[in-house]
Amino acid sequence: MAKLFSVASWNVEHFKDDPSGARIARVVDHLKAQDPDVFGLYEVEGATIFDTLVAKMPNYTFQITEGPETQEILVGVKKTLTAFITQKVEFRSGTTAMRPGQLVTVTKGGVNYPLLFLHLSSGSDPRGMGLRDDMLERAFEFRRVLDAAPGGNGPSNYLFLGDLNTMGLKYPFDRSIDPQLELRKWDQYAARAKIRMRRLVKTHDASWSNGSGSSMPDSNLDHVYAADHLQFRVFKRPLDGADANVSVRGWVDQPTTAKKDDWIAKYSDHSLLYFELRS
């Protein structure tokens, strides 16, 4: 199968100006090393981040969300690709402080590939899970909107991805919801006849870590859901050798606990997700 284009998705925790600029440079260098054709960055807080990306990655076009929220989503597309970028405010779930989604529609060989980058509500309290629940349903139902769009040529080549914050619900009286149960719900929703999507297998389940000094376990927060007819490059999972379609890159690659903690401190508590669509 031939490569169509590659995608990276990365939550860079509180990505903003630092006095020396060293962290910004490290993050951009790690992103550049993946050489994605399209990428999304989450938790962008500093205005100079945009300036640094423009200077260090001149072969990309960028767009950042705008609004009253403090953390934005920034997307970049290689200038060799044709793409249309739209800010999707409906993924705020009526809450103005939430990030809107970034819809990047890549056109390759006359075929459209809509990619929706999302940073969903965090929190294991009822409000956090409720907002996340609403936004995920909207993301899945958007597949039906795209499929019904005038001029479409069959099922849409739709994907949505990002920091979906699937952390479950903590509730008293033994009524908590485990994160795996939350994911199970959405995997079943994805498989509905009118949705026909699947969550892509990753090389590592956990993509978020608060480091060895934290009481919180490494967590499975970042995901890619894709229309079930789409094809992807295959990677191998280090744990069991099984096939995966998303490569997790970052602190998961570090050989020792000390190096993992150092990577988290220097880059982010999230590892980067990378995948390639194939024809």
Side-chain angles (χ1 to χ4, degrees), residues 112 143-149 151-158 196 229:
N112 291 333
R143 169 78 195 272
R144 300 172 67 176
V145 174
L146 292 170
D147 285 354
N153 297 311
S156 59
N157 302 307
Y158 172 53
R196 304 181 315 283
H229 66 276

Side-chain angles (χ1 to χ4, degrees), residues 13-243:
E13 182 189 21
H14 298 299
F15 195 27
K16 58 185 176 182
D17 310 341
D18 60 280
S20 67
R23 183 184 181 225
I24 296 176
R26 283 193 298 268
V27 166
V28 174
D29 286 344
H30 182 65
L31 178 63
K32 286 179 63 178
Q34 316 312 315
D35 193 31
D37 294 309
V38 182
F39 69 82
L41 296 178
Y42 317 94
E43 294 200 25
V44 176
E45 297 180 6
T48 62
I49 303 300
F50 187 84
D51 297 334
T52 303
L53 283 166
V54 170
K56 293 179 73 72
M57 302 179 73
N59 56 329
Y60 288 81
T61 298
F62 305 96
Q63 185 179 36
I64 191 168
T65 53
E66 293 183 282
E69 61 277 357
T70 58
Q71 296 178 342
E72 306 288 356
I73 301 175
L74 186 149
V75 296
V77 180
K78 275 188 178 177
K79 294 179 180 178
T80 53
L81 282 182
T82 299
F84 185 78
I85 305 173
T86 309
Q87 182 168 290
K88 304 296 288 182
V89 296
E90 59 264 41
F91 294 97
R92 286 175 168 164
S93 292
T95 304
T96 57
M98 292 301 300
R99 283 82 45 178
Q102 284 275 55
L103 180 64
V104 180
T105 302
V106 176
T107 301
K108 189 80 173 181
V111 178
N112 291 333
Y113 297 85
L115 297 94
L116 179 62
F117 291 87
L118 294 172
H119 183 192
L120 300 189
S121 176
S122 64
S124 54
D125 60 319
R127 181 180 185 275
M129 189 174 191
L131 285 170
R132 189 164 63 247
D133 210 65
D134 179 66
M135 287 185 274
L136 273 166
E137 184 171 340
R138 290 169 188 255
F140 281 115
E141 291 299 322
F142 192 53
R143 169 78 195 272
R144 300 172 67 176
V145 174
L146 292 170
D147 285 354
N153 297 311
S156 59
N157 302 307
Y158 172 53
L159 306 91
F160 71 85
L161 65 155
D163 181 4
L164 305 188
N165 272 315
T166 47
M167 57 185 65
L169 170 70
K170 292 182 180 178
Y171 206 76
F173 314 115
D174 298 320
R175 293 294 186 267
S176 293
I177 297 175
D178 186 83
Q180 288 299 320
L181 187 59
E182 182 178 2
L183 277 173
R184 181 181 170 187
K185 170 189 175 179
W186 293 116
D187 289 348
Q188 288 184 347
Y189 200 102
R192 290 183 176 185
K194 293 185 178 180
I195 304 296
R196 304 181 315 283
M197 298 183 74
R198 72 187 191 277
R199 177 164 53 97
L200 301 188
V201 176
K202 300 182 297 186
T203 55
H204 304 74
D205 291 328
S207 54
W208 176 88
S209 175
N210 204 30
S212 61
S214 174
S215 61
M216 301 176 67
D218 297 349
S219 300
N220 189 9
L221 303 183
D222 303 274
H223 306 284
V224 181
Y225 279 93
D228 58 9
H229 66 276
L230 293 175
Q231 301 296 314
F232 299 88
R233 175 182 172 182
V234 173
F235 302 93
K236 293 295 181 181
R237 286 171 54 91
L239 180 64
D240 53 18
D243 289 349

